[in-house]
Structure formats: structure tokens, C-alpha cells
Amino acid sequence: MVNAILYTPRLLTGKRIRDLRQNDPVFYHTLQLHLSALTPSPDNSPTDYARLGYIARWCGNNSIAEGYLRKAVDDLPNLATPWHLLGDDNKYRLLLFGAFQKDLLSTDLPEEKDMSDDLLFKMAYQPKFANWHGGKLLIVSVL
């Protein structure tokens, strides 16, 4: 699970993690300890630092998170989420909506949706499907 979260930190915002916290607190706290112990390696990219910053922030290690997030945007300033996590919503808006958005500074920021299995599937697989098959993947929910 640590590796999955390291690859996709938004998993921390999902129902599965909230359920773990409530239903399996021992596993949840062990996971949190392992996530808190993550550190960058010399070959980490700016996106790796952004992911580590997201995770460190979720774990409550705000000063460590800020260092990782600053390193990420210093090396790759077009990363939107680190700017948001650092509190610079003007840069976050600019990266999300572009410079030609009318009244950019008053544009509402989108709400971050909880990471669900469906959203994760769409984020990870839909672009691959479009690239492989040249069309959009139609997802049908089955009840």
C-alpha cells in the first residue's frame, strides 16, 4: 500500500483510507508510520518530490512537506498541486486555467474529489485506452 500511495498520493483522500482509519486503526497507524518515514533519494525527480510533499503533508509533517514541495516547484514550476499545497493559489489558478482566463484571480478553485476506485481507474487507464485505441473509453456502472 505504501508503494501504491507513493505512486498516487491522492489515494490518501479516498474512502478506503478513511475506512482503514475507522475499522483497522493498527494497520492505519502502521501505514502512517511507513509513509512518514519516506525520504527522497538522490535520483528523485521534481514530481517525486511533489508526491513526497503531498504524503508528508497528509502525515502532518508540514515543515518536511514544505521543503519537498519547494524543491519540486523550484525544479519544475509548472506543477500545479504543490503550489496549492504551499498556499499560492494564484499560481495554482494560473496553471489550472491558463493566463487567458477572464478574471483569473476570482475564479473559484475546483474541489478535490475523494479518490474512488472509479476515479482512479479513469485517471490511470482512460488515457492509455485513448492512446492505444484512438477513442474514448466508455465506462458503464453496473449496480
Side-chain angles (χ1 to χ4, degrees), residues 50 53-54 57 69 80-89 92:
Y54 191 108
R57 189 170 188 267
L69 296 167
T81 301
W83 286 116
H84 181 60
L85 295 175
L86 288 166
D88 194 334
D89 287 339
Y92 181 64

Side-chain angles (χ1 to χ4, degrees), residues 86-102:
L86 288 166
D88 194 334
D89 287 339
N90 290 335
K91 287 182 183 161
Y92 181 64
R93 276 188 188 89
L94 178 65
L95 291 166
L96 284 185
F97 304 118
F100 300 106
Q101 172 75 24
K102 186 176 181 179

Side-chain angles (χ1 to χ4, degrees), residues 5 31 46-47 62 69 73 120 122-124 126 128 133 143:
I5 291 168
L31 174 65
T47 55
N62 293 331
L69 296 167
V73 297
L120 178 61
K122 288 176 189 174
M123 285 174 46
Q126 203 161 27
K128 291 177 184 179
H133 302 288
L143 298 176

